[in-house]
Structures are given as C-alpha cells and as structure tokens.
Amino acid sequence: MKAVTVQPGVADSVRFEEVPEPDESTGSILVEAVAVGLCGTDVEIASGKYGWAPPGRDRLILGHESLGRVIDPGPERSLKPGDLVVGIVRRPDPVPCPNCAVGEWDMCRNGQYTERGIKEIDGFLSERWRTEPGYFTKMDPSLGLLGVLLEPTTVVGKAWELVGAMRARAFWEPRLVLVTGAGPIGMLAAMIGVQHGFDVHVLDRVTEGAKPQLVHDVGATYHSGAVTDVGFQPDVVIECTGVGSVIVDAIRSVGSGGVICLTGVGSGGPTSGLSPADVAKELVLQNNVILGSVNANRRHFYRAAEALAAADHAWLERLITRQVPPQDIAQALKHGPDDIKVVVDFGAS
Ligand code: BGC
C-alpha cells in the first residue's frame, strides 16, 4: 500500500511511497483511510523539528487526525464493516505512570507515552491502518468527512474540561471568553464555548478572508488587533496561537479570578517587558490561573464526537478549506493564506 512517510529530524524528507500493509500486531481492527487532517505539528515534523520514528526504524508514517472506514472489525463487537471511525492518537507509557494506568494518557507523567504519527508509532496517512479495540471512536455517520475534525476537537474539548475544573477553586461564574487565534483549534474552541452558553470573542490578525464571517456564524464576536484592545476583561482565555506577545497580553488582560488555558505551542519570538516576577505578581494578586493542555483521552474523544454531531454541519464544512490527494502532500503541508483546515483525502468517502 501507499503511505506518507517522513524521517523525523530531517527537513523535507516527506515521501508518498510504498510501505508494507499494516501489521496485525498494530491492532485487530482493519480500516481504510478516508481522510487525514493536517496541523502545525505535522508541519513541524515535516520540517525536521519534532517527531520520533518507531524504534529501530528511520521513517514514520505521518498523520494523527484520522478518519477511516472499517474493513474488518475483528472481534470488536461494537463495529461492523463500513462504520466510520477515528483513531485515538496517544498510547499509555509502558511503566505505566499512575495517570496512564487509569486511562489518562493525556496526562502522562513520565513522558514515555507514544503518539500515532508523532512519537514512535505509525500514524494514519496510509491507505489502510489498524487500531486496537478501545483506541477508536465510532462516528455519527451523518458527519461523513467532517469526522476528520474530531481529533482537533478533542484537544479543545480537553482544554474546556480543564477550564471547567477551575470552578472547584471558588465561586465562579465565567461569562466572557476570549479565544486567541482563529485557526482550526480556535474555531473549534469558540464552537464549544458557544455550545456551553458563553459570550465568546475570537481574536486573530486578519481582517479579511473567511475567518471573521465564520466566527460570526458560529455565534461569536470577531476582533482583530491586540488582546489589550478588545475592550473587556475576559473571564477565560483559550490561547491558540503560541505567540509570546499574545500570551503576555492575555495575562495582562484577563479579569480577576480568571483562567488562561494555553493550547498553542510556539517558541522564541521577542520578549516583552514582563519578567517572571511581574507575571507571578499579576497571577497572585488576581487569583488567576495559567494552565497548559495537550492531547486527549478516550473521554475527550467521546465528548468531542458529541460536540461535533451537535454542531452546524454546514459551518463545520467551511472549516475544511482544502482537500488534497495524498500524492500532493508537499503542497498540502504548505499553509496558504486562506487555509483553515487542510485535509488529505484518500478518495474513499
Ligand atoms: C496533537 C496531540 C499531541 C500533540 C503533541 C498535537 O498536534 O493533536 O494529540 O499530543 O500534538 O505531540
């Protein structure tokens, strides 16, 4: 079969090439690929800055935002041929740490977890892939191709769950939410915020293109410019840019008792005038929280599937701005100015 592979650590090593059929040891459920979404992590891996090949190999099959159709469910009784499924990304560490031992691999404590298409296990950018019982989510068939949005929805679903856990601190009635960044993660974070009944505002750099209207149509308010100019103090910030200056402005702007949830991964960039002690002072004097959120466990996949099924499907469709065949992976990994979510389409939908 054909797959998109990469040599982690080596820039521009992505190839669409012949690989062996997925080994039965990788799971009893056989699936044909329908589509795979691409994100910044894939771009990082393709540029040699992130990612790990499986032990004893140089190359990794890329792709962690999957959607596939079951060919053979094996002994899994909840599935039948033709069902649409999404594979779970992370596998628990082998020790296991206490969190992995209870199925919270997204909170792995020793860093020995593995991730499909990212860290030491093959991903989903192959014509066929396998998964183990317990590491998939069966999708509502009415979502069709939109099921490919599940994985990024799990990431923001977990972020929202962590924000909700902050209610245990004190009496807290959050209302105003600021989402920074109107990429797929920001859009889906806004969608869930609106589903929860919050007054959601989304900030991005652009003033043109599809983003302002998409934000409006999901029921949120669009802003461009600086966080400090939005004109209100958010109770919650879901940070989806990873840009240092945006993060610092979010810390300055969040209201007292507020929560900033960081989901973006960036690096470098100019430093602002705020020293660590200044940041700490802002947090202490206002009882504010900054928390980081990565990955998702089975519960988040389950809930995200419900959130997607409940969403306006026509709106979700507009998030997928480009569908590219797997042989054109190099173009797919180049982020265009109008791209929101680019999807590799295996033509099986
Ligand atoms: C994926 C997560 C993963 C993280 C770090 C993200 O792009 O969505 O599942 O845990 O990268 O590798």
Side-chain angles (χ1 to χ4, degrees), residues 25-37:
S25 65
T26 61
S28 53
I29 303 164
L30 179 64
V31 177
E32 80 175 316
V34 172
V36 175

Side-chain angles (χ1 to χ4, degrees), residues 39 41 50 64-65 89-90 113 115 118 151 155 294-296:
C39 78
T41 301
Y50 192 62
H64 60 278
E65 298 184 5
V89 177
R90 197 176 275 198
Y113 63 83
E115 287 180 340
I118 301 174
E151 199 276 343
V155 167
V294 69
N295 196 251

Side-chain angles (χ1 to χ4, degrees), residues 30-335:
L30 179 64
V31 177
E32 80 175 316
V34 172
V36 175
L38 298 175
C39 78
T41 301
D42 301 301
V43 175
E44 285 253 302
I45 297 171
S47 62
K49 294 185 194 139
Y50 192 62
W52 297 261
R57 281 173 39 192
D58 289 337
R59 300 187 72 82
L60 168 80
I61 298 179
L62 196 63
H64 60 278
E65 298 184 5
S66 63
L67 175 68
R69 183 174 289 112
V70 174
I71 299 173
D72 179 1
E76 175 60 48
R77 297 177 68 171
S78 68
L79 289 177
K80 55 181 190 326
D83 283 343
L84 287 173
V85 289
V86 170
I88 289 179
V89 177
R90 197 176 275 198
R91 297 294 177 276
D93 78 74
V95 177
C97 77
N99 289 70
C100 285
V102 300
E104 290 187 355
W105 49 74
D106 58 312
M107 302 293 288
C108 179
R109 303 269 289 282
N110 64 21
Q112 294 180 46
Y113 63 83
T114 52
E115 287 180 340
R116 294 199 66 164
I118 301 174
K119 188 169 183 272
E120 295 167 8
I121 30 176
D122 281 329
F124 303 103
L125 265 167
S126 53
E127 289 175 305
R128 284 168 289 287
W129 43 268
R130 287 181 171 272
T131 191
E132 315 89 316
Y135 288 96
F136 66 87
T137 301
K138 187 168 148 180
M139 298 307 292
D140 182 325
S142 74
L143 279 166
L145 178 70
L146 299 174
V148 76
L149 297 172
L150 183 66
E151 199 276 343
T153 310
T154 68
V155 167
V156 287
K158 173 182 171 180
W160 270 114
E161 191 185 273
L162 290 178
V163 169
M166 296 305 110
R167 286 178 189 272
R169 287 184 306 160
F171 182 74
W172 191 45
E173 287 183 318
R175 189 177 65 83
L176 285 165
V177 172
L178 178 66
V179 175
T180 49
I185 292 290
M187 289 289 183
L188 293 166
M191 179 191 88
I192 293 180
V194 171
Q195 285 180 346
H196 288 350
F198 294 119
D199 181 359
V200 179
H201 297 250
V202 180
L203 177 121
D204 196 285
R205 284 178 302 190
V206 301
T207 51
E208 286 167 8
K211 288 177 178 179
Q213 194 61 42
L214 273 163
V215 167
H216 175 265
D217 292 349
V218 82
T221 307
Y222 188 81
H223 301 256
S224 62
V227 175
T228 43
D229 292 338
V230 294
F232 63 92
Q233 292 192 320
D235 302 308
V236 174
V237 179
I238 309 277
E239 206 301 300
C240 308
T241 70
V243 174
S245 56
V246 176
I247 297 167
V248 168
D249 283 352
I251 294 168
R252 284 191 169 134
S253 305
V254 73
S256 191
V259 175
I260 299 163
C261 183
L262 307 176
T263 68
V265 182
S267 63
T271 52
S272 77
L274 272 197
S275 74
D278 294 333
V279 173
K281 188 160 100 184
E282 300 253 351
L283 297 178
V284 170
L285 294 180
Q286 300 199 76
N287 289 297
N288 288 346
V289 176
I290 304 180
L291 60 94
S293 179
V294 69
N295 196 251
N297 66 38
R298 194 175 287 132
R299 177 177 74 253
H300 306 119
F301 272 78
Y302 181 87
R303 288 207 178 129
E306 289 188 328
L308 275 188
D312 174 359
H313 293 191
W315 183 83
L316 291 173
E317 265 167 33
R318 289 160 61 201
L319 297 184
I320 301 178
T321 45
R322 209 151 48 101
Q323 284 170 249
V324 178
Q327 58 271 25
D328 293 343
I329 185 67
Q331 279 148 268
L333 286 165
K334 284 193 194 105
H335 193 82

